[in-house]
Amino acid sequence: MTSEGLPDWLGPVVRAAEAVEPEQMSRFLPPESGAGRQSAVLVLFGEGPRGPELLLMERASQLRSHGGQPSFPGGALDPEDGDPATTGPLRAALREAEEETGLDPAGVQIFGVLPRLYIPVSGFVVTPVLGWWREPTPVRAVDSGETARVFTVPVADLTDPANRATAVHPRGHAGPAFLVESALVWGFTAGVIDRIVHYAGWERPWDRAKRVPLDWHA
């Protein structure tokens, strides 16, 4: 893991990752008991036709859990990934990204990790792994039964106030959301993007009263 040779525009993300505290990322933190299934996601930054961008995927609509929901590539750690407290999440994030999107992990430079977060509804303890797509390779939905599509989103669209909203779940809880690339990004993924944008200093004032309701399948 190294931050050497990164483009200048990623500097704020590097500094934010080094300084941010877990409580600044989310109110849902890993249980002190150590319970929870260890997992990792790859937050992959690249350079596209419109400048900096993020890689996302959309889960297949027929999945029982979070069907149709955009997310970062990622998943649970396997034993061969190694120690969850050290390099295990890095290996898992790259492995899962390759399995889900077909990208070549050799072209990805890992430059940081964010604090581990907790997803109460699934019991996952998630480590967001930050990567720079130094040598991009073609991506696709490797398994259509799991993934509907793989796509990139310009950071400019994620910071555009017109694309930001507050998603409201039928049970009443609310959180940040992004309406980009014909998708509604919400939940854990939107929360991580929101915090990165905020602590990197990229956030622009947006209308937090703009509400987007989620249906019961969300």
Side-chain angles (χ1 to χ4, degrees):
M1 185 171 68
T2 177
S3 59
E4 293 185 5
L6 296 178
D8 291 342
W9 58 264
L10 266 177
V13 180
V14 175
R15 292 188 289 274
E18 292 172 343
V20 70
E21 298 293 335
E23 295 79 9
Q24 294 174 303
M25 288 294 299
S26 173
R27 62 190 179 92
F28 298 113
L29 302 179
E32 294 182 1
S33 65
R37 190 174 184 189
Q38 297 295 325
S39 63
V41 295
L42 181 63
V43 183
L44 184 58
F45 290 91
E47 187 85 45
R50 295 180 52 209
E53 60 185 18
L54 269 178
L55 179 70
L56 295 177
M57 50 180 275
E58 188 174 302
R59 294 169 60 84
S61 59
Q62 66 268 26
L63 291 176
R64 293 177 59 187
S65 177
H66 303 296
Q69 185 174 350
S71 67
F72 299 116
L77 270 67
D78 286 346
E80 58 267 29
D81 293 324
D83 188 354
T86 56
T87 58
L90 280 63
R91 293 193 182 94
L94 290 173
R95 174 182 55 75
E96 287 282 346
E98 181 179 17
E99 293 174 359
E100 293 174 333
T101 75
L103 66 76
D104 183 354
V108 176
Q109 176 180 337
I110 300 301
F111 66 87
V113 295
L114 296 175
R116 294 188 306 156
L117 306 175
Y118 186 58
I119 303 179
V121 67
S122 62
F124 278 93
V125 175
V126 187
T127 301
V129 177
L130 303 174
W132 159 238
W133 213 352
R134 187 182 63 253
E135 298 177 11
T137 49
V139 290
R140 69 194 191 284
V142 174
D143 183 352
S144 60
E146 296 285 337
T147 306
R149 61 172 175 146
V150 178
F151 59 101
T152 56
V153 180
V155 171
D157 287 351
L158 293 167
T159 58
D160 186 343
N163 297 332
R164 303 211 56 180
T166 298
V168 182
H169 196 276
R171 292 189 176 90
H173 54 264
F178 300 83
L179 296 94
V180 290
E181 300 296 325
S182 303
L184 173 63
V185 184
W186 63 281
F188 174 86
T189 303
V192 172
I193 295 173
D194 173 77
R195 295 295 81 194
I196 291 175
V197 167
H198 176 76
Y199 288 111
W202 295 343
E203 187 174 33
R204 298 160 59 189
W206 57 282
D207 183 7
R208 297 173 186 272
K210 178 181 176 182
R211 302 270 166 153
V212 177
L214 301 171
D215 63 28
W216 282 105
H217 296 90

